[in-house]
Amino acid sequence: MEIPIELKQIIAFTKRDFYSWTTYKTVVITQIINVFIGVFSWGVTATYVNKPVSQMYGTGTNYISFLIVGIAIGNLIMPLVQGVHSQLNPWTIETILMTGVSTPVFVIGNVMWTYIFSIITFIPYLLIGIYVFHVSLNANIASVIVAFAISAAILVGLAMISTGLMIVTKSMDPITWIINVLSNIFAGVSFPVIYLDTIFLPGISTISWFFPQTWVYHLCRLAMLTNPSLSNPQVLVEFLKGSVFAVILLPLGYKVFRWGVARSKREGTLGWY
Amino acid sequence: MEFAIETINLVKRYPTTARRGREGHFHLGPARIGRVESFTGLLKIIKGIRGPFIEALRGVNIQIKKGEIFGVLGPNGAGKTTLIKILCTLVIHDEGEAYVNGFDVKREPNQVLKNLQAVLPESRGFNWRLTGRQNLEFYALLYGLNEKEAKERIDYLLDFTGLKDRADDYYQRYSTGMQRKLLLCRSLLRNTPILLFDEPTVGLDPTSAAEFRDLLHKKIAHEEKKTILLSTHNLFEAQNVCDRIAILDRGKITACDTPNNIRYLMFDEKVFNIAFVDAIYDDEQKKMIEKLEEISGVHGVTPGIDLDGNFHEISIRVDKNVDLSSILEVVMKSGLKIKMINTKEPTLEDAFMAITRQHVEPQENFGSFGQRS
């Protein structure tokens, strides 16, 4: 059976980035070291702080599990958050677009290698967490797959919005910057979002649920720490809420990216950075 | 007749922050900047269609036949790159139409890209950390070639451009000439019938530039039978490589013809020089000059006399189509010994300068050409 051209194109991007990555030997070593340093530093801190997270994810889990899974997820989704713009430069974008690749292939192709790499590093994160810091995983495979799929859709949508805006602004786009800054506080990367009510004002955690990143962390943690069954209506509702963001952001991202490219073409600034 | 490339009244405006264009250089659209007066104004900002604008192309019409090497000549900022980028769908034009093998560049960009490839020196698109071959393999996959096809085509092109021996070197180790050849390989990967080159020899040393021109002319145009659109400000290149050229000046085509015809577009005459041996400038010679001046098509005769009174040459400004035999007949009857005869014709550079600087006036010096009024 002939492989679809879109898949071939994504493979081409992935191979290109992999070959390129292997030539940066120092980067390869430092990235691997970073995995260990990152997880150890957070793990040690969390062991001493050990905040309870049972309020959100039940009594079967603890803060170290919550945190290390969060860091692993953060590492997994980072390439998608950063989007294609790390790959964008004036020397390549015009040439790549002249090949006639579609927008989804362009976006997915440009993040695929970094995403594969982050999946590879996801495993040592979890292994160190489990064997050194006694992280207790309680994952439901089907839920994990669905959670990852929803997360990927949300983040690819965000990546396309960010890239589309960046093609026009030629710098970090203000919208993504604001979302990222606020997400660091509100998305529950290193603590459960309900603690915002204690730290700041009662009820302020409601804001968190309007950030797509909150749902990425929430659904992945739910799937990996609480063994949720998708047949459970309460779980299903949580997944459906997260899907709403995916359904909105994915086509919106596609539109924004296309708008950005079209506007740059009209202004003749596609190759400018 | 369907042309390989056709543009009809093509207009392109770029937004600018300049409040006023320099007189005679830029043609600005509605100059309203600063405030947003209305919701429509806000929408125009979002869409990027709000003035003021610089008009980079002002109604460009070109028709390029299949198999032709067509040059677009113009000074910096004339709109050459804009024209090429519109044709390869990287810039969207504001008015007019542009077709590539019959496909509309605005409405059918994917079909257009299947019919042409462009070599734009400033957008290399190669990964410095990959070898030349790996870079080509990447693009071959993007173009949808299968592995076998890609390998065969890449091997052929590397051989064709003389890069075979260095194919497995990292791109970052390539010289400028080799990088340009790799660009050429990439543009030929898909085997499209039309190729666009934007200043292809800029930055190359004379030997590499000559080699590249040779490759373009002999191999790509004649062996591979491609239609080529070449933008350049190198007049030598245009004259030697192109079948036809268009001179683009400030966004307008000011002349379009074969290089030879363009040379005479601005000039009505050429200069005919005759050198003599051991001649003295006396009354006999004066009479000969008078006779020469009476010949139809002769615009002026200037004797070359040195300080000792030696009559060593004569320069005759003649109509470009004059029959030279009547001139030679008069000279031969005078009994002078002819040492050398030559004609000096206007070069493409003369024509280019005259077209792009309409204010240049005909000079009275030896060898200058009379410009058309």
Side-chain angles (χ1 to χ4, degrees):
Chain A
M1 195 183 75
E2 184 72 18
I3 303 170
I5 184 167
E6 289 80 9
L7 192 57
K8 276 186 186 174
Q9 289 169 331
I10 291 171
I11 292 169
F13 278 108
T14 313
K15 274 170 74 177
R16 177 199 66 176
D17 294 337
F18 170 70
Y19 289 146
S20 178
W21 177 76
T22 56
T23 66
Y24 289 97
K25 292 187 174 57
T26 315
V27 173
V28 173
I29 294 164
T30 53
Q31 279 182 328
I32 291 167
I33 291 170
N34 278 345
V35 171
F36 289 89
I37 290 175
V39 76
F40 270 97
S41 61
W42 282 99
V44 169
T45 312
T47 305
Y48 288 103
V49 177
N50 203 23
K51 292 177 183 170
V53 290
S54 52
Q55 217 175 325
M56 269 187 83
Y57 295 101
T59 50
T61 188
N62 53 22
Y63 183 60
I64 184 85
S65 308
F66 171 91
L67 184 62
I68 294 209
V69 168
I71 293 164
I73 295 164
N75 183 58
L76 188 65
I77 65 176
M78 198 52 80
L80 298 178
V81 176
Q82 288 166 343
V84 247
H85 49 67
S86 60
Q87 302 283 344
L88 289 181
N89 62 63
W91 302 286
T92 55
I93 185 164
E94 288 191 339
T95 315
I96 299 287
L97 290 178
M98 265 198 294
T99 62
V101 292
S102 65
T103 301
V105 167
F106 179 81
V107 174
I108 296 169
N110 271 306
V111 295
M112 190 48 83
W113 162 245
T114 35
Y115 195 59
I116 289 171
F117 179 74
S118 64
I119 288 173
I120 295 166
T121 56
F122 182 69
I123 296 161
Y125 265 106
L126 290 184
L127 290 178
I128 295 167
I130 291 165
Y131 291 107
V132 179
F133 297 107
H134 310 293
V135 164
S136 56
L137 286 186
N138 197 7
N140 178 301
I141 298 299
S143 301
V144 168
I145 293 168
V146 175
F148 276 25
I150 294 170
S151 304
I154 288 174
L155 293 160
V156 168
L158 285 175
M160 284 197 285
I161 291 172
S162 163
T163 310
L165 292 172
M166 196 182 147
I167 286 173
V168 174
T169 62
K170 313 295 176 195
S171 62
M172 178 73 178
D173 70 276
I175 295 175
T176 309
W177 181 79
I178 290 168
I179 289 175
N180 285 346
V181 167
L182 293 176
S183 297
N184 286 337
I185 304 167
F186 290 101
V189 180
S190 52
F191 53 85
V193 291
I194 53 166
Y195 279 104
L196 288 168
D197 295 341
T198 314
I199 299 164
F200 296 113
L201 292 167
I204 204 162
S205 64
T206 312
I207 297 169
S208 295
W209 302 108
F210 290 97
F211 286 99
Q213 282 95 331
T214 307
W215 288 94
V216 171
Y217 283 99
H218 176 60
L219 294 183
C220 291
R221 277 177 176 139
L222 202 65
M224 292 174 74
L225 297 174
T226 66
N227 189 22
S229 166
L230 288 172
S231 56
N232 179 341
Q234 276 182 320
V235 173
L236 200 60
V237 167
E238 291 300 294
F239 276 78
L240 284 173
K241 284 181 194 169
S243 308
V244 171
F245 282 89
V247 169
I248 294 168
L249 288 172
L250 208 53
L252 181 68
Y254 181 77
K255 285 270 180 198
V256 172
F257 183 85
R258 302 258 304 179
W259 166 82
V261 171
R263 177 168 168 154
S264 277
K265 283 184 176 183
R266 251 195 327 268
E267 293 184 345
T269 60
L270 196 58
W272 294 8
Y273 281 93
Chain B
M1 179 189 178
E2 189 178 284
F3 295 98
I5 293 173
E6 185 178 17
T7 69
I8 305 162
N9 290 325
L10 205 59
V11 173
K12 178 63 204 165
R13 300 183 193 97
Y14 289 127
T16 177
T17 50
R19 282 179 183 273
R20 281 202 312 267
R22 272 182 287 155
E23 200 178 334
H25 281 262
F26 300 127
H27 296 263
L28 298 182
R32 302 176 72 114
I33 58 171
R35 288 178 305 154
V36 182
E37 299 83 3
S38 62
F39 181 68
T40 321
L42 181 66
L43 274 181
K44 281 185 175 178
I45 289 174
I46 293 167
K47 288 180 179 173
I49 52 172
R50 191 161 176 264
F53 301 104
I54 292 170
E55 284 194 315
L57 295 181
R58 299 186 286 141
V60 168
N61 293 295
I62 52 170
Q63 292 174 330
I64 302 174
K65 287 174 256 175
K66 288 180 179 170
E68 193 175 25
I69 307 182
F70 189 91
V72 177
L73 272 174
N76 292 332
K80 303 187 295 291
T81 302
T82 297
L83 177 63
I84 289 212
K85 286 194 173 179
I86 287 173
L87 293 171
C88 58
T89 76
L90 292 175
V91 167
I92 297 171
H93 55 279
D94 296 305
E95 284 171 34
E97 293 160 51
Y99 300 95
V100 170
N101 264 354
F103 295 108
D104 188 322
V105 296
K106 211 183 234 179
R107 292 185 189 88
E108 302 162 292
N110 288 336
Q111 289 303 321
V112 167
L113 291 173
K114 283 179 186 165
N115 279 275
L116 66 74
Q117 279 296 298
V119 177
L120 310 172
E122 81 275 20
S123 54
R124 296 180 299 267
F126 290 123
N127 190 311
W128 288 65
R129 312 286 293 199
L130 302 187
T131 65
R133 187 188 298 277
Q134 285 173 331
N135 269 302
L136 292 179
E137 282 168 355
F138 166 65
Y139 281 101
L141 280 168
L142 291 194
Y143 292 137
L145 271 66
N146 68 41
E147 216 166 301
K148 189 169 169 281
E149 273 176 340
K151 192 185 175 317
E152 283 172 6
R153 187 81 184 141
I154 289 168
D155 283 343
Y156 166 73
L157 291 172
L158 289 169
D159 194 32
F160 179 79
T161 52
L163 276 180
K164 201 174 180 179
D165 295 340
R166 299 288 303 276
D168 296 312
D169 260 5
Y170 286 126
Y171 177 76
Q172 60 193 350
R173 300 205 185 281
Y174 281 16
S175 67
T176 312
M178 290 164 70
Q179 290 176 4
R180 210 56 63 81
K181 282 182 180 173
L182 199 68
L183 268 175
L184 188 61
C185 287
R186 188 183 66 202
S187 69
L188 292 168
L189 263 179
R190 212 179 200 177
N191 210 6
T192 56
I194 303 167
L195 291 172
L196 311 182
F197 293 89
D198 188 15
E199 308 280 6
T201 54
V202 164
L204 294 183
D205 63 64
T207 315
S208 304
E211 206 179 312
F212 195 88
R213 274 194 288 273
D214 216 36
L215 200 65
L216 205 72
H217 192 241
K218 288 185 184 154
K219 289 194 165 182
I220 299 168
H222 292 115
E223 279 182 29
E224 298 246 331
K225 310 277 181 216
K226 307 282 187 195
T227 303
I228 294 174
L229 170 60
L230 173 79
S231 105
T232 182
H233 51 222
N234 183 330
L235 303 166
F236 173 78
E237 191 165 274
Q239 185 155 358
N240 285 283
V241 172
C242 301
D243 298 319
R244 280 195 308 145
I245 55 173
I247 294 181
L248 185 64
D249 187 26
R250 295 164 207 169
K252 274 201 157 184
I253 300 281
T254 47
C256 181
D257 213 322
T258 62
N260 273 341
N261 289 346
I262 290 262
R263 287 194 297 156
Y264 283 106
L265 203 67
M266 298 298 289
F267 306 102
D268 290 327
E269 60 186 40
K270 57 187 174 186
V271 177
F272 186 46
N273 284 316
I274 305 172
F276 304 115
V277 184
D278 301 331
I280 303 292
Y281 190 66
D282 54 19
D283 290 346
E284 283 293 310
Q285 317 311 344
K286 281 180 189 166
K287 277 183 193 166
M288 178 192 73
I289 287 170
E290 280 166 12
K291 278 184 189 168
L292 285 172
E293 283 172 339
E294 283 165 11
I295 297 171
S296 163
V298 171
H299 299 166
V301 182
T302 314
I305 309 154
D306 64 20
L307 293 172
D308 298 329
N310 294 318
F311 182 34
H312 57 87
E313 73 167 3
I314 189 166
S315 270
I316 311 160
R317 286 193 357 255
V318 296
D319 191 275
K320 64 180 179 184
N321 297 317
V322 78
D323 178 11
L324 295 175
S325 57
S326 51
I327 295 172
L328 282 173
E329 199 182 328
V330 171
V331 174
M332 286 172 83
K333 272 185 186 168
S334 72
L336 290 166
K337 285 184 189 168
I338 298 172
K339 186 172 148 192
M340 194 172 63
I341 299 173
N342 65 50
T343 52
K344 192 178 176 196
E345 310 208 12
T347 63
L348 190 58
E349 188 173 357
D350 295 322
F352 180 79
M353 298 295 274
I355 291 167
T356 56
R357 295 182 192 167
Q358 292 283 340
H359 61 276
V360 172
E361 288 171 11
Q363 294 170 13
E364 293 302 322
N365 300 336
F366 251 57
S368 67
F369 303 101
Q371 197 174 339
R372 258 184 201 170
S373 52

